[in-house]
PDB file of all heavy atoms in Angstrom:
ATOM      1  N   GLU A  26      87.909 119.756 119.028  1.00  0.00           N
ATOM      2  CA  GLU A  26      87.544 121.165 119.027  1.00  0.00           C
ATOM      3  C   GLU A  26      86.191 121.392 119.772  1.00  0.00           C
ATOM      4  O   GLU A  26      85.822 122.528 120.157  1.00  0.00           O
ATOM      5  CB  GLU A  26      87.357 121.688 117.612  1.00  0.00           C
ATOM      6  CG  GLU A  26      86.185 121.161 116.823  1.00  0.00           C
ATOM      7  CD  GLU A  26      86.006 121.793 115.399  1.00  0.00           C
ATOM      8  OE1 GLU A  26      87.052 121.935 114.768  1.00  0.00           O
ATOM      9  OE2 GLU A  26      84.922 122.036 115.029  1.00  0.00           O
ATOM     10  N   VAL A  27      85.381 120.298 119.825  1.00  0.00           N
ATOM     11  CA  VAL A  27      84.139 120.452 120.573  1.00  0.00           C
ATOM     12  C   VAL A  27      84.356 120.473 122.064  1.00  0.00           C
ATOM     13  O   VAL A  27      83.831 121.332 122.819  1.00  0.00           O
ATOM     14  CB  VAL A  27      83.153 119.266 120.366  1.00  0.00           C
ATOM     15  CG1 VAL A  27      81.817 119.437 121.041  1.00  0.00           C
ATOM     16  CG2 VAL A  27      82.958 119.047 118.842  1.00  0.00           C
ATOM     17  N   ALA A  28      85.329 119.698 122.602  1.00  0.00           N
ATOM     18  CA  ALA A  28      85.615 119.691 124.004  1.00  0.00           C
ATOM     19  C   ALA A  28      86.197 120.895 124.525  1.00  0.00           C
ATOM     20  O   ALA A  28      85.930 121.304 125.613  1.00  0.00           O
ATOM     21  CB  ALA A  28      86.531 118.417 124.256  1.00  0.00           C
ATOM     22  N   ASP A  29      87.120 121.492 123.761  1.00  0.00           N
ATOM     23  CA  ASP A  29      87.867 122.670 124.278  1.00  0.00           C
ATOM     24  C   ASP A  29      87.083 124.053 124.161  1.00  0.00           C
ATOM     25  O   ASP A  29      87.554 125.047 124.639  1.00  0.00           O
ATOM     26  CB  ASP A  29      89.143 122.871 123.664  1.00  0.00           C
ATOM     27  CG  ASP A  29      89.175 123.055 122.100  1.00  0.00           C
ATOM     28  OD1 ASP A  29      88.142 123.441 121.560  1.00  0.00           O
ATOM     29  OD2 ASP A  29      90.166 122.822 121.444  1.00  0.00           O
ATOM     30  N   ARG A  30      85.872 123.969 123.566  1.00  0.00           N
ATOM     31  CA  ARG A  30      85.022 125.118 123.400  1.00  0.00           C
ATOM     32  C   ARG A  30      85.687 126.353 122.641  1.00  0.00           C
ATOM     33  O   ARG A  30      85.221 127.469 122.783  1.00  0.00           O
ATOM     34  CB  ARG A  30      84.564 125.553 124.848  1.00  0.00           C
ATOM     35  CG  ARG A  30      83.811 124.552 125.610  1.00  0.00           C
ATOM     36  CD  ARG A  30      83.398 125.051 126.986  1.00  0.00           C
ATOM     37  NE  ARG A  30      82.835 124.047 127.834  1.00  0.00           N
ATOM     38  CZ  ARG A  30      81.582 123.839 127.970  1.00  0.00           C
ATOM     39  NH1 ARG A  30      80.667 124.500 127.264  1.00  0.00           N
ATOM     40  NH2 ARG A  30      81.141 122.935 128.783  1.00  0.00           N
ATOM     41  N   ALA A  31      86.670 126.077 121.932  1.00  0.00           N
ATOM     42  CA  ALA A  31      87.408 127.193 121.282  1.00  0.00           C
ATOM     43  C   ALA A  31      86.678 127.676 120.052  1.00  0.00           C
ATOM     44  O   ALA A  31      86.707 128.806 119.793  1.00  0.00           O
ATOM     45  CB  ALA A  31      88.780 126.782 120.856  1.00  0.00           C
ATOM     46  N   ILE A  32      85.966 126.726 119.363  1.00  0.00           N
ATOM     47  CA  ILE A  32      85.273 127.152 118.093  1.00  0.00           C
ATOM     48  C   ILE A  32      83.756 127.191 118.437  1.00  0.00           C
ATOM     49  O   ILE A  32      83.221 126.122 118.882  1.00  0.00           O
ATOM     50  CB  ILE A  32      85.597 126.141 116.998  1.00  0.00           C
ATOM     51  CG1 ILE A  32      87.099 126.237 116.682  1.00  0.00           C
ATOM     52  CG2 ILE A  32      84.829 126.492 115.698  1.00  0.00           C
ATOM     53  CD1 ILE A  32      87.612 125.289 115.713  1.00  0.00           C
ATOM     54  N   PRO A  33      83.059 128.208 118.090  1.00  0.00           N
ATOM     55  CA  PRO A  33      81.578 128.229 118.245  1.00  0.00           C
ATOM     56  C   PRO A  33      80.836 127.410 117.261  1.00  0.00           C
ATOM     57  O   PRO A  33      81.406 127.071 116.213  1.00  0.00           O
ATOM     58  CB  PRO A  33      81.218 129.746 118.140  1.00  0.00           C
ATOM     59  CG  PRO A  33      82.230 130.239 117.204  1.00  0.00           C
ATOM     60  CD  PRO A  33      83.531 129.524 117.590  1.00  0.00           C
ATOM     61  N   GLY A  34      79.625 126.997 117.597  1.00  0.00           N
ATOM     62  CA  GLY A  34      78.846 126.263 116.643  1.00  0.00           C
ATOM     63  C   GLY A  34      78.544 124.850 117.121  1.00  0.00           C
ATOM     64  O   GLY A  34      77.854 124.062 116.398  1.00  0.00           O
ATOM     65  N   HIS A  35      78.975 124.392 118.293  1.00  0.00           N
ATOM     66  CA  HIS A  35      78.813 123.126 118.770  1.00  0.00           C
ATOM     67  C   HIS A  35      77.744 123.153 119.908  1.00  0.00           C
ATOM     68  O   HIS A  35      77.979 123.866 120.902  1.00  0.00           O
ATOM     69  CB  HIS A  35      80.153 122.521 119.379  1.00  0.00           C
ATOM     70  CG  HIS A  35      81.111 122.352 118.247  1.00  0.00           C
ATOM     71  ND1 HIS A  35      81.054 121.416 117.200  1.00  0.00           N
ATOM     72  CD2 HIS A  35      82.336 123.019 117.974  1.00  0.00           C
ATOM     73  CE1 HIS A  35      82.027 121.462 116.400  1.00  0.00           C
ATOM     74  NE2 HIS A  35      82.857 122.465 116.858  1.00  0.00           N
ATOM     75  N   TRP A  36      76.669 122.522 119.764  1.00  0.00           N
ATOM     76  CA  TRP A  36      75.449 122.621 120.577  1.00  0.00           C
ATOM     77  C   TRP A  36      75.205 121.369 121.397  1.00  0.00           C
ATOM     78  O   TRP A  36      75.615 120.267 121.053  1.00  0.00           O
ATOM     79  CB  TRP A  36      74.221 122.916 119.707  1.00  0.00           C
ATOM     80  CG  TRP A  36      74.329 124.296 118.994  1.00  0.00           C
ATOM     81  CD1 TRP A  36      75.084 124.535 117.897  1.00  0.00           C
ATOM     82  CD2 TRP A  36      73.758 125.499 119.385  1.00  0.00           C
ATOM     83  NE1 TRP A  36      74.873 125.868 117.460  1.00  0.00           N
ATOM     84  CE2 TRP A  36      74.072 126.535 118.358  1.00  0.00           C
ATOM     85  CE3 TRP A  36      72.840 125.909 120.416  1.00  0.00           C
ATOM     86  CZ2 TRP A  36      73.650 127.779 118.438  1.00  0.00           C
ATOM     87  CZ3 TRP A  36      72.402 127.184 120.404  1.00  0.00           C
ATOM     88  CH2 TRP A  36      72.850 128.060 119.445  1.00  0.00           C
ATOM     89  N   GLU A  37      74.563 121.565 122.486  1.00  0.00           N
ATOM     90  CA  GLU A  37      74.009 120.427 123.308  1.00  0.00           C
ATOM     91  C   GLU A  37      72.516 120.629 123.444  1.00  0.00           C
ATOM     92  O   GLU A  37      72.005 121.787 123.548  1.00  0.00           O
ATOM     93  CB  GLU A  37      74.595 120.422 124.695  1.00  0.00           C
ATOM     94  CG  GLU A  37      76.121 120.214 124.639  1.00  0.00           C
ATOM     95  CD  GLU A  37      76.752 120.397 126.149  1.00  0.00           C
ATOM     96  OE1 GLU A  37      75.960 120.561 127.067  1.00  0.00           O
ATOM     97  OE2 GLU A  37      77.968 120.153 126.201  1.00  0.00           O
ATOM     98  N   GLY A  38      71.704 119.515 123.343  1.00  0.00           N
ATOM     99  CA  GLY A  38      70.282 119.708 123.325  1.00  0.00           C
ATOM    100  C   GLY A  38      69.589 118.558 124.196  1.00  0.00           C
ATOM    101  O   GLY A  38      70.202 117.520 124.501  1.00  0.00           O
ATOM    102  N   ASP A  39      68.365 118.822 124.450  1.00  0.00           N
ATOM    103  CA  ASP A  39      67.530 117.947 125.260  1.00  0.00           C
ATOM    104  C   ASP A  39      66.139 118.384 125.177  1.00  0.00           C
ATOM    105  O   ASP A  39      65.767 119.552 124.683  1.00  0.00           O
ATOM    106  CB  ASP A  39      68.017 117.906 126.733  1.00  0.00           C
ATOM    107  CG  ASP A  39      67.433 116.743 127.449  1.00  0.00           C
ATOM    108  OD1 ASP A  39      66.937 115.808 126.847  1.00  0.00           O
ATOM    109  OD2 ASP A  39      67.583 116.750 128.741  1.00  0.00           O
ATOM    110  N   LEU A  40      65.213 117.549 125.692  1.00  0.00           N
ATOM    111  CA  LEU A  40      63.830 117.884 125.889  1.00  0.00           C
ATOM    112  C   LEU A  40      63.625 118.287 127.416  1.00  0.00           C
ATOM    113  O   LEU A  40      64.076 117.525 128.254  1.00  0.00           O
ATOM    114  CB  LEU A  40      62.840 116.845 125.406  1.00  0.00           C
ATOM    115  CG  LEU A  40      62.826 116.474 124.002  1.00  0.00           C
ATOM    116  CD1 LEU A  40      61.800 115.289 123.796  1.00  0.00           C
ATOM    117  CD2 LEU A  40      62.603 117.615 123.132  1.00  0.00           C
ATOM    118  N   LEU A  41      62.893 119.392 127.613  1.00  0.00           N
ATOM    119  CA  LEU A  41      62.469 119.710 128.986  1.00  0.00           C
ATOM    120  C   LEU A  41      60.953 119.257 129.044  1.00  0.00           C
ATOM    121  O   LEU A  41      60.106 119.718 128.264  1.00  0.00           O
ATOM    122  CB  LEU A  41      62.549 121.178 129.244  1.00  0.00           C
ATOM    123  CG  LEU A  41      62.654 121.665 130.663  1.00  0.00           C
ATOM    124  CD1 LEU A  41      63.840 121.014 131.375  1.00  0.00           C
ATOM    125  CD2 LEU A  41      62.662 123.156 130.745  1.00  0.00           C
ATOM    126  N   ILE A  42      60.702 118.363 129.974  1.00  0.00           N
ATOM    127  CA  ILE A  42      59.365 117.679 130.027  1.00  0.00           C
ATOM    128  C   ILE A  42      58.530 118.443 131.003  1.00  0.00           C
ATOM    129  O   ILE A  42      58.842 118.956 132.078  1.00  0.00           O
ATOM    130  CB  ILE A  42      59.475 116.294 130.499  1.00  0.00           C
ATOM    131  CG1 ILE A  42      60.489 115.516 129.613  1.00  0.00           C
ATOM    132  CG2 ILE A  42      58.208 115.597 130.398  1.00  0.00           C
ATOM    133  CD1 ILE A  42      60.187 115.509 128.112  1.00  0.00           C
ATOM    134  N   GLY A  43      57.191 118.589 130.573  1.00  0.00           N
ATOM    135  CA  GLY A  43      56.239 119.343 131.418  1.00  0.00           C
ATOM    136  C   GLY A  43      55.509 118.441 132.410  1.00  0.00           C
ATOM    137  O   GLY A  43      55.824 117.317 132.539  1.00  0.00           O
ATOM    138  N   ALA A  44      54.437 118.915 132.984  1.00  0.00           N
ATOM    139  CA  ALA A  44      53.733 118.224 134.020  1.00  0.00           C
ATOM    140  C   ALA A  44      53.080 116.965 133.510  1.00  0.00           C
ATOM    141  O   ALA A  44      52.629 116.977 132.355  1.00  0.00           O
ATOM    142  CB  ALA A  44      52.565 119.153 134.603  1.00  0.00           C
ATOM    143  N   TYR A  45      53.188 115.963 134.245  1.00  0.00           N
ATOM    144  CA  TYR A  45      52.586 114.599 133.928  1.00  0.00           C
ATOM    145  C   TYR A  45      53.146 114.012 132.573  1.00  0.00           C
ATOM    146  O   TYR A  45      52.586 113.161 131.988  1.00  0.00           O
ATOM    147  CB  TYR A  45      51.084 114.718 133.853  1.00  0.00           C
ATOM    148  CG  TYR A  45      50.428 115.255 135.091  1.00  0.00           C
ATOM    149  CD1 TYR A  45      49.904 116.490 135.039  1.00  0.00           C
ATOM    150  CD2 TYR A  45      50.434 114.545 136.255  1.00  0.00           C
ATOM    151  CE1 TYR A  45      49.348 117.068 136.184  1.00  0.00           C
ATOM    152  CE2 TYR A  45      49.802 115.082 137.423  1.00  0.00           C
ATOM    153  CZ  TYR A  45      49.304 116.387 137.354  1.00  0.00           C
ATOM    154  OH  TYR A  45      48.774 116.960 138.523  1.00  0.00           O
ATOM    155  N   LYS A  46      54.353 114.599 132.145  1.00  0.00           N
ATOM    156  CA  LYS A  46      55.039 114.136 130.951  1.00  0.00           C
ATOM    157  C   LYS A  46      54.084 114.264 129.763  1.00  0.00           C
ATOM    158  O   LYS A  46      54.293 113.460 128.770  1.00  0.00           O
ATOM    159  CB  LYS A  46      55.503 112.681 131.138  1.00  0.00           C
ATOM    160  CG  LYS A  46      56.478 112.500 132.310  1.00  0.00           C
ATOM    161  CD  LYS A  46      56.938 111.056 132.378  1.00  0.00           C
ATOM    162  CE  LYS A  46      58.009 110.979 133.548  1.00  0.00           C
ATOM    163  NZ  LYS A  46      58.538 109.522 133.719  1.00  0.00           N
ATOM    164  N   ARG A  47      53.305 115.204 129.778  1.00  0.00           N
ATOM    165  CA  ARG A  47      52.281 115.383 128.637  1.00  0.00           C
ATOM    166  C   ARG A  47      52.737 116.398 127.620  1.00  0.00           C
ATOM    167  O   ARG A  47      52.096 116.602 126.579  1.00  0.00           O
ATOM    168  CB  ARG A  47      50.857 115.691 129.200  1.00  0.00           C
ATOM    169  CG  ARG A  47      50.268 114.633 129.986  1.00  0.00           C
ATOM    170  CD  ARG A  47      48.990 115.056 130.572  1.00  0.00           C
ATOM    171  NE  ARG A  47      48.361 113.978 131.436  1.00  0.00           N
ATOM    172  CZ  ARG A  47      47.339 114.181 132.261  1.00  0.00           C
ATOM    173  NH1 ARG A  47      46.815 115.385 132.391  1.00  0.00           N
ATOM    174  NH2 ARG A  47      46.824 113.225 133.033  1.00  0.00           N
ATOM    175  N   SER A  48      53.753 117.178 127.961  1.00  0.00           N
ATOM    176  CA  SER A  48      54.232 118.262 127.022  1.00  0.00           C
ATOM    177  C   SER A  48      55.726 118.384 127.154  1.00  0.00           C
ATOM    178  O   SER A  48      56.255 117.920 128.097  1.00  0.00           O
ATOM    179  CB  SER A  48      53.545 119.523 127.273  1.00  0.00           C
ATOM    180  OG  SER A  48      53.771 120.023 128.601  1.00  0.00           O
ATOM    181  N   ALA A  49      56.296 119.115 126.217  1.00  0.00           N
ATOM    182  CA  ALA A  49      57.776 119.290 126.234  1.00  0.00           C
ATOM    183  C   ALA A  49      58.197 120.428 125.350  1.00  0.00           C
ATOM    184  O   ALA A  49      57.391 120.851 124.529  1.00  0.00           O
ATOM    185  CB  ALA A  49      58.480 118.031 125.821  1.00  0.00           C
ATOM    186  N   ILE A  50      59.439 120.922 125.559  1.00  0.00           N
ATOM    187  CA  ILE A  50      60.002 121.879 124.725  1.00  0.00           C
ATOM    188  C   ILE A  50      61.454 121.438 124.350  1.00  0.00           C
ATOM    189  O   ILE A  50      61.997 120.592 125.140  1.00  0.00           O
ATOM    190  CB  ILE A  50      60.005 123.381 125.257  1.00  0.00           C
ATOM    191  CG1 ILE A  50      60.833 123.353 126.550  1.00  0.00           C
ATOM    192  CG2 ILE A  50      58.594 123.812 125.470  1.00  0.00           C
ATOM    193  CD1 ILE A  50      61.121 124.727 127.108  1.00  0.00           C
TER     194      ILE A  50
END
């Protein structure tokens, strides 16, 4: 059910890294 995107509520996540790898969101 995650792969076919039919049911909502399945998330993907990561960190976005800032300059010089000193910060992130």
Side-chain angles (χ1 to χ4, degrees):
E26 72 173 40
V27 183
D29 63 19
R30 301 178 188 267
I32 299 177
H35 297 289
W36 297 77
E37 297 173 1
D39 194 14
L40 296 185
L41 200 64
I42 308 300
Y45 307 107
K46 300 183 179 181
R47 295 173 182 170
S48 60
I50 60 172

